[in-house]
Amino acid sequence: MKFPEGFVWGAASSGPQSEGNFNKIHQNVFDYWYATEPGEFFQGVGPDLTSNFYNDYPNDLQLMKKAGIKALRLSIQWSRLIQDFETGTVNQAGADFYRRLFATMKATGIEPYVTLFHFDMPADLQHQYGGWQSKHVVSLFEKYAKEAFKLYGNQINHWFTFNEPKVILDGQYLYQFHYPKIVDGPSAVQVAFNINLASAKAIAAFHQINTNVGATIGMILNLTPAYAASEKPCDKEAARIAELWTNDLFLQPAIRGTFPSSLVDLLKSDHVLWNATGAELDLIANNQIDELGVNYYHPFRVEAPDVSPKSLQDWMPDIYFKEYQMPGRIENVDRGWEIYPKALYDIAISIKERFGNIPWFVSENGMGVSREDRFMDDYGMVHDDYRIDFMHDHLVELFRGIKAGSNCHGYFAWTAIDNWSWKNAYRNRYGLIRNNIHTQEKTLKKSAYWFNQLSHQNILPPTNFKLP
Ligand code: FCB
């Protein structure tokens, strides 16, 4: 299986999960949450050190190079780059750090793919205004984005506004796995709109400011195709609404500039539709992404809810669908996620057929496994054949999608070096490179050698891959 010429083999990470808090002047919501409720995090491990990327990036980048990583997706932390959120004044130490980092990446031959927002709302903006519930925060985000474009426009060719907006809704406003753990369906609806608006505003600013010819701006969405548990009409109806809510709510505004009309109708008749002005809708209509990043880990199987949505209950999106665990599924038991590579083919075809075959790439895919020292040999190398198999099987499906004409131009593994996974901290390891978090010693796993061969040959290595 030979991938197309110029196919990008990369890895993804984020600022809050890798940098550590060194020299930061503001807390983001995770810093704040850890400072106030450390017991919420696996083994009490917080975001203060993470993988020490702030100090160790020259060494880390060299290791990534050995793993064949030619592009690295990372994120700027709003709470590091900006001194005064209201005016957008830059914090010089933060600005210097990212400039040095991007320059070192260039010198190392690793292309930066930069995300502006990866779950890391500044804590002050959450507390003062309610974070993404507030349109004032949307305008502050635009100021931050403008500064980032001005500072790094000449260094960056691939920008992204948001990582996984759906997870922001789920974590902060619906299912309580990110601070401030609010449960409020109608607020989640407004947040969904505000994030789409913030993304469009950043895209508009990019078009005004950017002078780097050929630079593009996109968005990273976690797509979880919704599959009905059965052919029964009620299950199919649940899947239809789940697809609209989880995927199309972000895909359609980003790519076509409109919201799915049947979802809008449903929210309207439930009296929970967002507040939006005509000018805001025009802005969304006029500012689309150039490329789409797709994070894919697991499918979303759904069945009809236990009780009718007409029952008296507080409005939540999942009054319309219930998650369904398919008996006999293959599961990553450490994460509780079904492993279903074929969804990547379905995503490829859906982008081709429903979304104008926009240029896209897999911006995250990978497998988190706990207690990986189980698989370590006497020399300290982790033999992570399960990770190789996981990526292999997903790439087989992706390849089929590309052969069928889908416009996919890259695959980024999550992640390069084991990093801090929010509440789960360092429980599940995702890296091609191991991080001993007690010593911060970093060593290649077997999958790094596999990925290196893949990236250099642009051909999927055989399943019985042997270490060189
Ligand atoms: C995704 C996030 C990423 C990482 C992986 C495991 O949802 O984008 O930050 O935590 O999950």
Side-chain angles (χ1 to χ4, degrees), residues 353-369:
E353 288 175 357
R354 294 182 56 226
F355 292 100
N357 214 9
I358 186 174
W360 70 283
F361 67 110
V362 176
S363 42
E364 288 182 26
N365 177 240
M367 187 173 178
V369 171

Side-chain angles (χ1 to χ4, degrees), residues 17 118-119 163-164 167 295 297 337 364 414 421-422 430:
Q17 293 177 273
H118 199 121
F119 307 162
N163 178 70
E164 303 189 344
V167 172
N295 294 355
Y297 293 92
W337 283 344
E364 288 182 26
W414 183 274
S421 257
W422 320 109
Y430 290 84

